[in-house]
Amino acid sequence: PAEATADFAALMAPLGPFGPAPVLLAGVSGGPHSLALALLADRWARARGGRLVARVCDHGLRPESGAEAAGVAARAAVQNIISRLFLSILSVDPEDRMESLQEIVEGAIMEAHTVVSRKAPGGGTTITLAMVLGEQVTLGQVGDSRAYFIYPDGRIQAVTQDHSLVRRLIDLGQITEDQAMIDSRRNVLYRALGQPEPFKPDIETKVFPNPGYMLLCSDGLWGVVSQAEIFRIVRSAKDPSQACHQLVEAANTAGGPDNISAILVQFLN
């Protein structure tokens, strides 16, 4: 949309030119600002030595306010990370403690939670956030959007844990994976940004598959497109941008019952 393009241009303008990067990122989303924010973070990362921030927010809790919550969360998380990294890089006090990447990611998610609670009361959203530095990726997770590692040999590994009722029932052995896919409670979350109950996000640091990909997506994609089909699309597409559009098309062809977001990151040798 024209308004999203204008907003994207306004966000990108202050960042200046950028050079080579060790990763290639592309994404599409049901929200008008999500792609712009992901690419904003990517451009900032390329200009500053290869750091990359990517995140998916999916407004699955009260649709009337969830969309606003997702947009608020995305902006708050990315802006918080960028500001923290800038402050640590620009600090002139040698005694200033450098925050770890895990602390930065957790702080960004908690800031997003605070902003959603204040600016979109009653709304809720999931968030899956990834910060890539070299071959290291630090992941932050709240809700049931997911991050996957995709390997050339066909393996797809979920590297985040859903905070959903059906996931907990699976872990307790009360239902199977197949039963969870058709369970009427599959969209019920016990942890989400904007919810009043206190929580702590899942934070992990892993090694980025090299060669390989990282896919961040909402349940509107992983809930209706099989892992085998996801792998086929990613491997056959000419680039991550085409892959993301084809993934969204596949989810829509399968019925498109929910918001669909996908960000694909490829490690470049």
Side-chain angles (χ1 to χ4, degrees), residues 35-99:
L35 175 58
L37 282 167
L39 292 179
L40 166 66
D42 184 39
R43 181 164 185 173
W44 181 87
R46 294 178 184 216
R48 289 159 181 84
R51 293 187 181 89
L52 178 143
V53 181
R55 46 92 253 58
V56 164
C57 294
D58 179 37
H59 46 91
L61 302 172
R62 293 184 59 191
E64 68 276 9
S65 54
E68 180 183 1
V72 166
R75 289 178 176 277
V78 172
Q79 290 172 354
N80 185 272
I81 284 180
I82 291 175
S83 66
R84 283 171 179 248
L85 287 172
F86 265 124
L87 288 175
S88 64
I89 292 170
L90 298 176
S91 175
V92 296
D93 188 345
E95 295 186 0
D96 282 351
R97 186 179 70 90
M98 183 77 170
E99 287 186 295

Coordinates of all heavy atoms in Angstrom, one line a residue, residues 35-99:
L35 N 7.0 -5.7 7.2 CA 8.1 -5.9 6.3 C 9.1 -4.7 6.4 O 10.3 -4.8 6.4 CB 7.6 -6.0 4.9 CG 8.6 -6.1 3.8 CD1 9.6 -7.2 4.0 CD2 8.0 -6.2 2.4
A36 N 8.5 -3.5 6.5 CA 9.3 -2.3 6.6 C 10.2 -2.3 7.8 O 11.4 -2.0 7.7 CB 8.4 -1.0 6.6
L37 N 9.7 -2.8 8.9 CA 10.5 -2.8 10.1 C 11.6 -3.9 10.0 O 12.7 -3.6 10.5 CB 9.5 -3.1 11.3 CG 8.7 -1.9 11.8 CD1 7.7 -2.4 12.8 CD2 9.6 -0.9 12.5
A38 N 11.3 -5.0 9.4 CA 12.3 -6.0 9.3 C 13.4 -5.5 8.4 O 14.6 -5.7 8.7 CB 11.7 -7.3 8.7
L39 N 13.1 -4.9 7.3 CA 14.1 -4.4 6.4 C 14.8 -3.2 7.0 O 16.0 -3.0 6.7 CB 13.5 -4.0 5.0 CG 13.0 -5.2 4.2 CD1 12.3 -4.8 2.9 CD2 14.1 -6.2 4.0
L40 N 14.1 -2.4 7.8 CA 14.8 -1.3 8.5 C 15.9 -1.9 9.4 O 17.0 -1.4 9.4 CB 13.8 -0.6 9.4 CG 14.3 0.4 10.4 CD1 15.0 1.5 9.8 CD2 13.2 0.8 11.4
A41 N 15.6 -2.9 10.1 CA 16.6 -3.5 11.0 C 17.7 -4.1 10.2 O 18.9 -4.0 10.6 CB 15.9 -4.6 11.9
D42 N 17.4 -4.7 9.1 CA 18.4 -5.3 8.2 C 19.3 -4.3 7.7 O 20.6 -4.4 7.7 CB 17.7 -6.1 7.1 CG 18.7 -6.8 6.2 OD1 19.7 -7.4 6.7 OD2 18.5 -6.8 5.0
R43 N 18.8 -3.2 7.2 CA 19.7 -2.1 6.7 C 20.6 -1.5 7.7 O 21.8 -1.3 7.5 CB 18.8 -1.0 6.0 CG 19.6 0.1 5.4 CD 18.8 1.0 4.5 NE 19.6 1.9 3.8 CZ 19.2 2.7 2.9 NH1 18.0 2.6 2.5 NH2 20.0 3.6 2.3
W44 N 20.0 -1.3 8.9 CA 20.8 -0.8 10.0 C 22.0 -1.8 10.3 O 23.1 -1.5 10.6 CB 20.0 -0.6 11.2 CG 20.7 -0.1 12.4 CD1 21.0 1.2 12.7 CD2 21.4 -0.9 13.4 NE1 21.8 1.3 13.9 CE2 22.0 0.0 14.3 CE3 21.5 -2.2 13.7 CZ2 22.7 -0.4 15.4 CZ3 22.2 -2.7 14.8 CH2 22.8 -1.7 15.6
A45 N 21.6 -3.1 10.3 CA 22.6 -4.1 10.6 C 23.7 -4.2 9.6 O 24.9 -4.3 9.9 CB 21.9 -5.5 10.7
R46 N 23.4 -4.1 8.3 CA 24.4 -4.1 7.3 C 25.4 -3.0 7.4 O 26.6 -3.1 7.1 CB 23.7 -4.1 5.9 CG 22.9 -5.3 5.6 CD 22.2 -5.2 4.3 NE 21.3 -6.3 4.0 CZ 21.2 -6.9 2.8 NH1 21.8 -6.4 1.8 NH2 20.3 -7.9 2.7
A47 N 24.9 -1.8 7.8 CA 25.7 -0.6 7.9 C 26.7 -0.7 9.1 O 27.6 0.0 9.2 CB 24.8 0.6 8.1
R48 N 26.4 -1.7 10.0 CA 27.2 -1.7 11.3 C 27.7 -3.1 11.6 O 27.5 -3.6 12.7 CB 26.3 -1.2 12.4 CG 26.1 0.3 12.3 CD 24.9 0.9 13.0 NE 24.8 2.3 12.7 CZ 24.2 2.8 11.6 NH1 23.7 2.0 10.7 NH2 24.2 4.1 11.4
G49 N 28.3 -3.7 10.6 CA 29.1 -4.9 10.8 C 28.4 -6.2 10.9 O 28.9 -7.2 11.4
G50 N 27.1 -6.3 10.4 CA 26.5 -7.6 10.2 C 25.5 -8.0 11.3 O 25.0 -9.0 11.3
R51 N 25.2 -7.1 12.2 CA 24.1 -7.4 13.1 C 22.8 -7.3 12.4 O 22.6 -6.5 11.6 CB 24.1 -6.4 14.3 CG 25.3 -6.5 15.2 CD 25.0 -5.6 16.4 NE 26.2 -5.6 17.4 CZ 27.2 -4.8 17.3 NH1 27.2 -3.9 16.3 NH2 28.2 -4.9 18.2
L52 N 21.9 -8.2 12.7 CA 20.6 -8.2 12.0 C 19.5 -8.5 13.1 O 19.7 -9.4 13.9 CB 20.6 -9.3 10.9 CG 19.2 -9.4 10.2 CD1 19.5 -9.7 8.7 CD2 18.4 -10.5 10.8
V53 N 18.5 -7.7 13.0 CA 17.4 -7.9 13.9 C 16.1 -8.3 13.1 O 15.9 -7.6 12.1 CB 17.0 -6.7 14.7 CG1 15.9 -6.9 15.7 CG2 18.3 -6.2 15.5
A54 N 15.5 -9.3 13.4 CA 14.2 -9.7 12.6 C 13.2 -10.1 13.6 O 13.6 -10.8 14.6 CB 14.5 -10.8 11.6
R55 N 12.0 -9.9 13.4 CA 10.9 -10.3 14.3 C 9.6 -10.5 13.6 O 9.3 -9.8 12.6 CB 10.8 -9.3 15.5 CG 10.7 -7.9 15.2 CD 9.5 -7.2 14.9 NE 8.8 -6.7 13.9 CZ 8.3 -7.3 12.8 NH1 8.7 -8.5 12.5 NH2 7.6 -6.7 12.0
V56 N 8.8 -11.4 14.2 CA 7.4 -11.6 13.7 C 6.5 -11.3 14.8 O 6.7 -11.8 15.9 CB 7.3 -13.0 13.2 CG1 5.8 -13.4 13.1 CG2 7.9 -13.2 11.8
C57 N 5.5 -10.5 14.6 CA 4.4 -10.3 15.6 C 3.1 -10.7 14.9 O 2.8 -10.4 13.8 CB 4.3 -8.9 16.0 SG 5.8 -8.3 16.9
D58 N 2.3 -11.5 15.7 CA 1.1 -12.0 15.1 C -0.1 -11.7 16.1 O -0.1 -12.1 17.2 CB 1.2 -13.5 14.9 CG -0.1 -14.1 14.4 OD1 -0.7 -13.5 13.6 OD2 -0.4 -15.3 14.8
H59 N -1.1 -10.9 15.6 CA -2.1 -10.5 16.5 C -3.2 -11.5 16.5 O -4.2 -11.5 15.9 CB -2.7 -9.1 16.0 CG -3.0 -9.0 14.6 ND1 -4.2 -9.3 14.0 CD2 -2.2 -8.5 13.6 CE1 -4.2 -9.0 12.7 NE2 -3.0 -8.6 12.4
G60 N -3.0 -12.5 17.4 CA -4.0 -13.6 17.5 C -4.9 -13.5 18.7 O -5.8 -14.3 18.8
L61 N -4.8 -12.5 19.6 CA -5.7 -12.5 20.8 C -6.8 -11.5 20.6 O -7.0 -11.3 20.2 CB -4.9 -12.1 21.9 CG -3.7 -12.9 22.2 CD1 -2.8 -12.4 23.3 CD2 -4.1 -14.3 22.6
R62 N -7.8 -11.2 20.7 CA -8.7 -10.2 20.3 C -8.4 -9.4 19.0 O -7.7 -8.5 19.0 CB -8.8 -9.2 21.5 CG -9.4 -9.7 22.7 CD -9.6 -8.7 23.8 NE -10.5 -7.6 23.3 CZ -10.7 -6.5 23.9 NH1 -10.0 -6.2 25.0 NH2 -11.5 -5.6 23.4
P63 N -9.0 -9.9 17.9 CA -8.6 -9.3 16.6 C -8.8 -7.8 16.5 O -8.0 -7.1 15.9 CB -9.6 -10.0 15.7 CG -9.9 -11.3 16.3 CD -9.9 -11.0 17.8
E64 N -9.8 -7.3 17.2 CA -10.1 -5.8 17.1 C -9.0 -5.0 17.6 O -8.8 -3.8 17.2 CB -11.4 -5.5 17.8 CG -11.5 -5.6 19.3 CD -11.7 -7.0 19.8 OE1 -11.7 -7.9 18.9 OE2 -11.9 -7.2 21.0
S65 N -8.2 -5.5 18.6 CA -7.1 -4.7 19.2 C -5.8 -5.4 19.0 O -4.7 -4.8 19.2 CB -7.4 -4.5 20.7 OG -7.6 -5.7 21.3
G66 N -5.8 -6.6 18.5 CA -4.6 -7.4 18.3 C -3.7 -6.8 17.2 O -2.5 -6.8 17.3
A67 N -4.3 -6.3 16.1 CA -3.5 -5.7 15.0 C -2.7 -4.5 15.5 O -1.6 -4.3 15.2 CB -4.4 -5.3 13.9
E68 N -3.4 -3.7 16.3 CA -2.7 -2.5 16.8 C -1.6 -3.0 17.8 O -0.5 -2.4 17.7 CB -3.7 -1.6 17.6 CG -3.0 -0.4 18.2 CD -4.0 0.5 19.0 OE1 -5.2 0.1 19.1 OE2 -3.6 1.5 19.6
A69 N -1.8 -4.0 18.6 CA -0.8 -4.5 19.5 C 0.4 -5.0 18.8 O 1.5 -4.8 19.2 CB -1.4 -5.6 20.4
A70 N 0.2 -5.7 17.6 CA 1.3 -6.3 16.9 C 2.2 -5.2 16.3 O 3.4 -5.3 16.4 CB 0.7 -7.2 15.8
G71 N 1.6 -4.1 15.8 CA 2.3 -3.0 15.2 C 3.1 -2.3 16.3 O 4.3 -2.0 16.1
V72 N 2.5 -2.1 17.4 CA 3.2 -1.4 18.5 C 4.3 -2.2 19.0 O 5.4 -1.7 19.3 CB 2.1 -1.1 19.7 CG1 2.9 -0.8 21.0 CG2 1.2 0.0 19.3
A73 N 4.1 -3.5 19.2 CA 5.2 -4.4 19.7 C 6.4 -4.4 18.7 O 7.5 -4.4 19.2 CB 4.6 -5.8 19.9
A74 N 6.1 -4.5 17.4 CA 7.2 -4.6 16.5 C 8.1 -3.4 16.5 O 9.3 -3.4 16.6 CB 6.6 -4.8 15.1
R75 N 7.4 -2.2 16.5 CA 8.2 -1.0 16.6 C 9.0 -0.8 17.9 O 10.2 -0.4 17.9 CB 7.3 0.2 16.4 CG 6.7 0.4 15.0 CD 5.7 1.6 14.9 NE 5.3 1.7 13.5 CZ 6.0 2.4 12.6 NH1 7.2 2.9 12.9 NH2 5.5 2.5 11.4
A76 N 8.3 -1.1 19.0 CA 9.0 -1.0 20.3 C 10.2 -1.9 20.4 O 11.3 -1.4 20.9 CB 8.0 -1.2 21.4
A77 N 10.1 -3.1 19.9 CA 11.2 -4.1 20.1 C 12.4 -3.7 19.2 O 13.5 -3.6 19.7 CB 10.7 -5.5 19.7
V78 N 12.1 -3.3 18.0 CA 13.2 -3.0 17.1 C 13.9 -1.7 17.5 O 15.1 -1.6 17.6 CB 12.7 -2.9 15.6 CG1 13.8 -2.3 14.7 CG2 12.3 -4.2 15.1
Q79 N 13.1 -0.7 17.9 CA 13.7 0.6 18.3 C 14.5 0.4 19.6 O 15.5 1.0 19.8 CB 12.5 1.6 18.5 CG 11.9 2.1 17.2 CD 10.7 2.9 17.5 OE1 10.2 3.1 18.6 NE2 10.1 3.4 16.4
N80 N 14.0 -0.4 20.5 CA 14.7 -0.6 21.7 C 16.1 -1.3 21.5 O 17.1 -0.9 22.1 CB 13.9 -1.5 22.7 CG 14.5 -1.7 24.1 OD1 15.3 -2.6 24.3 ND2 14.1 -0.8 25.0
I81 N 16.1 -2.3 20.6 CA 17.3 -3.0 20.3 C 18.3 -2.0 19.7 O 19.5 -2.0 20.0 CB 17.1 -4.2 19.4 CG1 16.5 -5.3 20.3 CG2 18.4 -4.7 18.8 CD1 16.2 -6.6 19.5
I82 N 17.9 -1.3 18.7 CA 18.8 -0.4 18.0 C 19.3 0.7 19.0 O 20.5 1.0 19.0 CB 18.0 0.3 16.8 CG1 17.8 -0.7 15.7 CG2 18.9 1.5 16.3 CD1 16.9 -0.2 14.6
S83 N 18.5 1.2 19.8 CA 19.0 2.2 20.8 C 20.0 1.6 21.8 O 21.0 2.2 22.1 CB 17.8 2.9 21.5 OG 17.2 1.9 22.4
R84 N 19.8 0.4 22.2 CA 20.7 -0.2 23.2 C 22.0 -0.5 22.5 O 23.1 -0.3 23.1 CB 20.1 -1.5 23.7 CG 19.0 -1.4 24.7 CD 18.3 -2.7 25.0 NE 17.3 -2.6 26.0 CZ 17.4 -3.1 27.3 NH1 18.4 -3.8 27.6 NH2 16.4 -2.9 28.1
L85 N 22.0 -1.0 21.3 CA 23.3 -1.2 20.6 C 24.0 0.1 20.3 O 25.2 0.1 20.5 CB 23.0 -2.0 19.3 CG 22.6 -3.4 19.4 CD1 22.2 -4.0 18.1 CD2 23.7 -4.3 20.0
F86 N 23.3 1.1 19.9 CA 24.0 2.4 19.7 C 24.6 2.9 21.0 O 25.7 3.4 21.0 CB 22.9 3.4 19.2 CG 22.9 3.6 17.7 CD1 21.7 3.4 17.0 CD2 24.1 3.9 17.0 CE1 21.7 3.5 15.6 CE2 24.0 4.0 15.6 CZ 22.9 3.8 14.9
L87 N 23.9 2.8 22.1 CA 24.4 3.3 23.4 C 25.7 2.6 23.8 O 26.6 3.2 24.3 CB 23.3 3.2 24.4 CG 22.2 4.2 24.3 CD1 21.1 3.9 25.4 CD2 22.6 5.7 24.5
S88 N 25.6 1.3 23.6 CA 26.8 0.5 24.0 C 28.0 0.8 23.1 O 29.2 0.8 23.5 CB 26.5 -1.0 23.9 OG 26.2 -1.4 22.6
I89 N 27.8 1.0 21.8 CA 28.8 1.3 20.8 C 29.4 2.7 21.0 O 30.6 2.9 21.0 CB 28.3 1.1 19.4 CG1 28.0 -0.3 19.1 CG2 29.4 1.7 18.4 CD1 27.3 -0.5 17.8
L90 N 28.5 3.7 21.4 CA 29.0 5.1 21.4 C 29.4 5.5 22.8 O 29.9 6.6 23.0 CB 27.8 6.0 21.0 CG 27.4 5.8 19.5 CD1 26.2 6.7 19.2 CD2 28.5 6.1 18.6
S91 N 29.3 4.6 23.8 CA 29.6 5.0 25.2 C 31.1 5.3 25.2 O 32.0 4.7 24.7 CB 29.3 3.8 26.1 OG 29.8 4.1 27.4
V92 N 31.4 6.4 26.0 CA 32.8 6.9 26.1 C 33.3 6.5 27.5 O 34.5 6.7 27.8 CB 32.9 8.4 25.9 CG1 32.6 8.8 24.5 CG2 32.0 9.2 26.9
D93 N 32.5 5.9 28.4 CA 32.9 5.6 29.7 C 33.4 4.1 29.7 O 32.6 3.2 29.5 CB 31.7 5.7 30.7 CG 32.1 5.5 32.1 OD1 33.2 5.0 32.3 OD2 31.3 5.8 33.0
P94 N 34.6 3.9 29.9 CA 35.2 2.5 29.9 C 34.6 1.6 30.9 O 34.7 0.4 30.8 CB 36.7 2.7 30.0 CG 36.8 4.0 30.8 CD 35.7 4.9 30.3
E95 N 34.0 2.2 32.0 CA 33.4 1.4 33.0 C 32.0 0.9 32.7 O 31.4 0.2 33.5 CB 33.5 2.1 34.4 CG 34.9 2.4 34.8 CD 34.9 3.0 36.2 OE1 33.9 3.2 36.8 OE2 36.0 3.3 36.7
D96 N 31.4 1.5 31.7 CA 30.0 1.1 31.3 C 30.0 -0.4 30.9 O 30.8 -0.9 30.2 CB 29.5 1.9 30.1 CG 29.1 3.3 30.5 OD1 29.0 3.5 31.7 OD2 28.8 4.1 29.6
R97 N 29.1 -1.1 31.5 CA 29.0 -2.6 31.3 C 28.3 -2.8 30.0 O 27.2 -2.3 29.7 CB 28.2 -3.3 32.4 CG 28.2 -4.8 32.3 CD 27.4 -5.4 33.5 NE 26.0 -5.1 33.4 CZ 25.2 -5.9 32.7 NH1 25.6 -7.0 32.1 NH2 23.9 -5.6 32.7
M98 N 29.0 -3.6 29.1 CA 28.4 -4.0 27.8 C 27.3 -5.0 28.1 O 27.6 -6.1 28.6 CB 29.5 -4.5 26.9 CG 29.0 -4.9 25.5 SD 28.7 -3.4 24.5 CE 28.4 -4.2 22.9
E99 N 26.1 -4.8 27.6 CA 25.0 -5.7 27.8 C 25.3 -6.9 26.9 O 25.7 -6.8 25.7 CB 23.7 -5.1 27.4 CG 23.1 -4.2 28.5 CD 21.7 -3.7 28.1 OE1 21.6 -3.0 27.1 OE2 20.8 -4.0 28.9

